[in-house]
Amino acid sequence: HEALFYASGRTSNEAAFLYQLFVRKFGTNNLPDCSNMCHESSSFALPQVVGIGKGTVKLEDFEKAGLILILGQNPGTNHPRMLTALQAAKRAGATIVAINPLKEAGLLGFNNPQEVRGMLGFATPLTDLYLQVKIGGDQALLQGAMKVVLAKGALDRGFIADRTDGFEAFAESIQAADWDAIVRQSGIARTDIEKLGELVARHDRIIACWAMGLTQQKHAVATIQELVNLMLMRGAIGKPGAGLCPVRGHSNVQGDRTMGIWERPPAWFLDALGKEFRFAPPREHGFDTVEAIRAMRDGRAKVFFAMGGNFLSATPDTEATAAGLKNCRLTAHVSIKLNRSHLVTGRTALILPCLGRTEKDHQQGKEQFVTTENSMGVVQMSKGNLEPASKQLLSETAIVARVAEATLGDASGVPWAELAADYDRIRDRIARVIPGFENYNERVRKPGGFYLPNKPREGTFPTATGKARFTAHPLPELPCEPGQLVMMTIRTHDQFNTTVYGLDDRYRGIKNERRVILMNAADLADRGLKDGDLVNLTGHFRGETRHANRFIALAYDIPRGCSATYFPEANVLVPLDSAADGSNTPTSKYVTITVAKA
Ligand SMILES: Nc1nc2c(c(=O)[nH]1)N[C@H]1C(S)=C(S)[C@@H](COP(=O)(O)OP(=O)(O)OC[C@H]3O[C@@H](n4cnc5c(=O)[nH]c(N)nc54)[C@H](O)[C@@H]3O)O[C@H]1N2
Ligand SMILES: Nc1nc2c(c(=O)[nH]1)N[C@H]1C(S)=C(S)[C@@H](COP(=O)(O)OP(=O)(O)OC[C@H]3O[C@@H](n4cnc5c(=O)[nH]c(N)nc54)[C@H](O)[C@@H]3O)O[C@H]1N2
Ligand SMILES: [Mo]
């Protein structure tokens, strides 16, 4: 338990399965991953209320939807392919609502470069209702909309009676919710909230999409369950053109979790894994990302191994993470690109370069392919077509197999080399351990791959009670002292997480600078600041302060009291101990700061 095995979300199903097998044979569930900082709040919230930690829609549902809600997501930049589905939905008559503190360009309109009209620059208007919610105000906004739906009696009573429980207590809590608090916390006028409520009341084919704006909040789990409440009122889960759509980030982050990259593995998974590989997997839950940093900092962890990712830059409180990594006896990274995590190391440090997904992967003369699972639960093959950058590069799978063999010797009883020599053999083992992967090798070779089973999609909810569950969540207090601003850390178009490709933020009209803070003009004026002033940022959390100096303050269309900086430049300000209730996801979208002239 003094060793930590991190994973980012690029690792293939095959490498991920072998990796977690190695770690559990080694004797721990210390498998923190990027999910802990990403959609963990969704993975934690959804099983309790719908019985599965994933979405319930397929791409084809978008064209059948009547109403699409997009909360805390910037698809134009982060999920550009989704815009095609939204555009098609729009043309088929769907109404689209965006809920976001910023008016993100991709949500306002859309140029499809694949279409002549798009090339000529005619944007298809996308959003019918744009609600510039205050940071952290989504739960209040959703409660307001649900008050309207309740008042109109616009309920799918058959669905509620047959497929759900907990409605009475939920309805009471919504009735008790106070309009003044709702308007204050959401920052949205009651008339606009009523427009949203009326749209919800009018539609039953509703799709709800969300991403980091909802998940990286202290009250993320409650907010996501509130969104599920709204969907259940209208019977909008488990029918065509309707359902939940948590939009994921890394290409295989969902698959990695399915493969067992999880510090809190379910018992059935460990049972099946133990049976297939004849051992007793450790049962005790392991460390997630936040706990892993604390363990390194406090000297309780001495080895840090990373399968991809950029742990130093992606995690909260960069200083604390750096101190933790330096405390280790060994740090090792399997990577396709150099990054800052390679520079802040333990006493011994290894960089193990590996093949990328775009490169050809030969094992014993035979060309291999790997597989991944997308946000919609589709498992597909992925095969590189470029010559590898070097003949000496190993695949991730080969590296895991060799590390396992060297660490565990013959005692493990797993034929590591044999498995890594032909990925079909790994897939055969996955098929025997994880439900839904039967005939894996055959089915994944078919064009388009295959869908994993999804019970809520088919209308049954494998929760504790066998029903979808309404839950009641009284509005929390959101901390923000007088003079403070709430800061969210967001992405630009020209970065992929910690890999920054360019200094422009083209859709927000910011050029050649990333150390900026976007603020409401009135908030600038209050502090005697002008657009373009150089400022120092101070984070405040439980009496601790954190500092990030010399940012450029820019006046921007953002609600009062809210501000935005970029990830990863502002990660130094994200407190390690500020995390979502239940999921322990760092609150990267809710950091309380003060701003002063530099
Ligand atoms: N080009 C590019 N694509 C990417 C990535 C990348 O870095 N670059 N990263 C990938 C990964 S790992 C992920 S997880 C996804 C992330 O995809 P997103 O979640 O879209 O990414 P973020 O930039 O973190 O922004 C979230 C959005 O939430 C809004 N927001 C912030 N706080 C709140 C709030 O309290 N309420 C509401 N309603 N909205 C809020 C912000 O204004 C922003 O528009 O993208 C993936 N795709
Ligand atoms: N403040 C703040 N912090 C955040 C976020 C935020 O919005 N705000 N977002 C969080 C989110 S959503 C996420 S997902 C995490 C991301 O956390 P990570 O996944 O740890 O970070 P990345 O920047 O995606 O990792 C990039 C590195 O991965 C390696 N890599 C890329 N592809 C491969 C591959 O195929 N194999 C191997 N072995 N290595 C590869 C490269 O070396 C590259 O430098 O960051 C989180 N941190
Ligand atoms: Mo992510």
Side-chain angles (χ1 to χ4, degrees), residues 220-238:
V221 171
T223 302
I224 292 162
Q225 292 185 344
E226 207 76 90
L227 183 57
V228 171
N229 286 335
L230 179 142
M231 300 292 278
L232 294 177
M233 288 175 102
R234 304 293 306 133
I237 302 178

Side-chain angles (χ1 to χ4, degrees), residues 408-444:
L408 305 174
D410 293 336
S412 73
V414 178
W416 301 105
E418 211 180 287
L419 290 174
D422 182 350
Y423 301 171
D424 276 356
R425 293 178 193 146
I426 304 175
R427 284 185 287 268
D428 283 339
R429 298 297 194 112
I430 294 171
R432 292 220 285 268
V433 172
I434 304 174
F437 285 85
E438 297 77 16
N439 303 321
Y440 194 174
N441 274 308
E442 187 194 317
R443 286 195 295 155
V444 83

